[in-house]
Amino acid sequence: MNSLRKKLDKLKPHFSKGGRFEKLQSVFDGFEAFMFVSDKVTFKGSHIRDPLDLKRTMTVVIIALLPALLFGSYNTGLQHFRSVGIDPSLFQAFWFGFLRILPLIIVSYVVGLGIEFIAAQIRGHEINEGYLVTGLLIPLIMPIDIPLWMLALAVAFSVILGKEVFGGTGMNIFNPALLARAFVFFSYPAWMTGDNVWTEGLTAGKNIVDGFSGATPLSLCAAGEITKLPSFMQMFLGFIPGSVGETSTVAILIGAVILIITGVGSWKIIAGVFAGGMGMGLLLNAVSLNAYMELPFYYHFVMGGFAFGAVFMATDPVSGSQTEKGKWIYGILIGVLSILIRVLNPAYPEGVMLAILLMNLFAPLIDYFVVQSNIKKRLKRAKVALKTSVK
Amino acid sequence: MSRSIKLKKGFDIRLEGIAEKKLGATVDPVMFGVRPTDFPGLIPKLEVKPDSEVLAGTPLFCDKLHPEIQFTSPVSGRVISVERGERRKMLEVTVEKNGTRYIDFGKAEPDKLTAGQIINQLLNSGLWPAIRQRPYHIVADPNDKPKSIFISGFDTAPLAPDYNFILENSSLALFRTGIRALSKLTSGLVNLVLNGNRKDNQIFDAIEGVEKSYFSGPHPAGNAGVHIHHLDPLNKGEIVWIVNLQDVFSIGRLFEEGIYKPERIVALTGSEVIKPQYYRMLSGSAVTQVVAGKINPGNQRYISGNVLTGTKIGPEGFLGYYDSQITVIPEGNYYEFFGWADPGISKFSFSRTFLSSLFPRRSYKLDTNMHGGERAFVVTGQYEKVIPMDIFPMQLLKAIIAEDIDNMENLGIYEVAEEDFALCEFICPSKIEIQSELRKGLDLMRKEMS
């Protein structure tokens, strides 16, 4: 490591102000900080610091995403081979899917990090780690057949207009990954809806076996074909068509456990989303005007992106509620809205994305009320003190 | 009515190098120094010149805005130098000790003095700055009437000295006299807050004239700010005074013996100290003598105070006015290859993202590395876990950064000080200088209100 360190020290002046490559300073710093934690020491205030930094926080989220990514790779292959009538081996399916997902991940990171580097250079800041997670989240919530240029455009849109214009990581109002998905959803609806985009190769339509539909559980529900739903177990394990990372509730729950144990993800938000979803599901059951409303609430948890959204999207600390009480309210409302949109709005079979984006918008308002209650308590205390002193 | 309060929030940083309960020989160094920077918000005015002769109790500098508040020499001798920093900011006045001569401020029985006479005695001797006020956590204004006075009877900071041990080795008579003097200064209570977790608090039974309360829980359960918040919360316009336990002895001595002698028992602690233990010395002592031969070789950080709030001093620096602890830990100026990806068996963290969290009892050797670069606020809900007060720390900090005076007031800035937010700074994954930010807010607030 020493020789690498020496090389970096030698190169550093070229990338500093006045050096030959000063325009690439942020890139150099980014890579340097990636490989070596800085030798910077405390100067004032606390002399010791927790070894936890944002890089590690983000790394934990990435680790939590791995089960969903690995299963997603397998399921992508599995759905493809099913569509062409082949029964693949475990590895065959995984490898096929992995090779299809890899380009999505690469495009997402190259475009997103490229913009981050430029933004950091313009601002003269260090490069933020936020995109490390966003960059992996985006491919996981896209349909596998999305064209790469479309993905690149969506990433650029979400990073520039969703994040950088507000001041970069930590300042954004909306969850950048969901913004990318919303961009595709509204700009290219043909690539985000319907039955064909969720299975690799189905849009091209070559060699597809008769009778294979590729419909996701949610589109079955929206079409009123509840009876055709796969079994609960099938959906819970994730052997169904859908966005790359969202299908397996098991894999997502493993991620949830990692986030909750390490404390990186807020358990209050996750629990809130599920509680809200359950409440709304039960309410719909009670009203029960059609077959979709009669669907047991826990089916909603394993269909579509509900679990993925609850665990990985709603828990984004920047766009979510920032007060502890607010996190409960925020989570519960996401759960309620998700199911509400799913079941009662015929235009959008999936409600999680819109619910979270909507609540991102309302999170500051929730926090405002929570903080105001604290302020009022303090004012009230002051008034009581004033009264007793006058007496 | 003594109250017992159990706190859950907070965090004990388990460092290596806690002082053994053993009192070494009294430390009697040649060099002494008084730092104006120990007193936040102070604009000092120099009252001596290099080479002038001083006695113990001779003013070295005073507060430009309150010239009656004087900062005096702890020993008799000769003024050596006045160190200045950027923009001629006064950093340190050093005195070389020569003999033991005191200014005689006159013995007196506090019960027979008026509050005004007690205040004058404290001002003249240089003991007044030992009394600090909330809000703002600055030296108290002698013209104010505090609604109560708080003395913390225990310190929960990392490697902090054990006050029970200190009391066992000090004169209780002086302490009682000090309490009698202080109780004249407020119409309210003199609160002595003790550690509710300890069984050996009998030593405090001999102290009368105070309201005893018991707090238990992790750091910062021993902070005066936390005690005030729970026992006698500060509202806008109210003032509470705080005195460190060891300064009560000095105040007692001033009235019993008529001299300024800020003696205290100091814990020499930290992972780099060979055989950490306690020593008796004066505030302002150069640490050179006490650390000589007791520190592991290497590049070390010498801190007057604890690792969270202390002041960086060199091996030749001076013990701060309010400090009763010296900590020596390793400097962390090294690069760490993929440090953020380390599984972290030996990395101590508040979070559970390192394997070290599987060993809840182990002590650790921590250095001064920042472990990352400064970022915007990203992670939420962490600061709240280490502040046992009904306060929104992140929202308050954002109000301070935005210089939003109304919100700072509404969110409770009067109730807090740097030391209460020090743990937030330690755990902050965005590496924000929280204590400095808070001080900026306190200074701004003070300017705005005056």
Side-chain angles (χ1 to χ4, degrees), chain B residues 307-440:
Chain B
V307 287
L308 288 176
T309 57
T311 312
K312 180 181 171 179
I313 57 172
E316 273 135 33
F318 304 100
L319 182 68
Y321 190 91
Y322 297 107
D323 299 329
S324 39
Q325 182 180 5
I326 300 164
T327 312
V328 187
I329 56 170
E331 284 286 359
N333 51 343
Y334 53 86
Y335 285 97
E336 196 184 0
F337 187 65
F338 280 100
W340 52 272
D342 184 336
I345 285 263
S346 58
K347 282 189 171 170
F348 182 69
S349 172
F350 174 68
S351 72
R352 289 184 298 265
T353 58
F354 294 84
L355 285 180
S356 64
S357 57
L358 300 173
F359 310 98
R361 303 209 170 274
R362 224 163 56 177
S363 298
Y364 294 82
K365 180 171 168 172
L366 299 189
D367 59 45
T368 62
N369 193 289
M370 289 285 278
H371 301 293
E374 186 162 340
R375 300 286 185 271
F377 290 108
V378 170
V379 180
T380 61
Q382 297 300 306
Y383 302 157
E384 287 83 350
K385 291 182 190 162
V386 293
I387 296 193
M389 302 194 216
D390 189 14
I391 269 180
F392 284 93
M394 185 183 271
Q395 282 71 17
L396 177 57
L397 285 166
K398 285 183 175 177
I400 289 171
I401 291 168
E403 304 195 346
D404 180 344
I405 303 278
D406 288 341
N407 252 333
M408 278 153 66
E409 183 177 296
N410 286 337
L411 290 166
I413 194 166
Y414 298 130
E415 302 179 49
V416 297
E418 293 102 310
E419 56 178 26
D420 304 323
F421 274 46
L423 274 172
C424 299
E425 187 170 72
F426 170 73
I427 66 165
C428 181
S430 294
K431 312 291 171 192
I432 294 168
E433 304 273 359
I434 290 173
Q435 295 189 74
S436 324
E437 291 294 345
L438 186 62
R439 177 43 68 187
K440 274 186 217 158

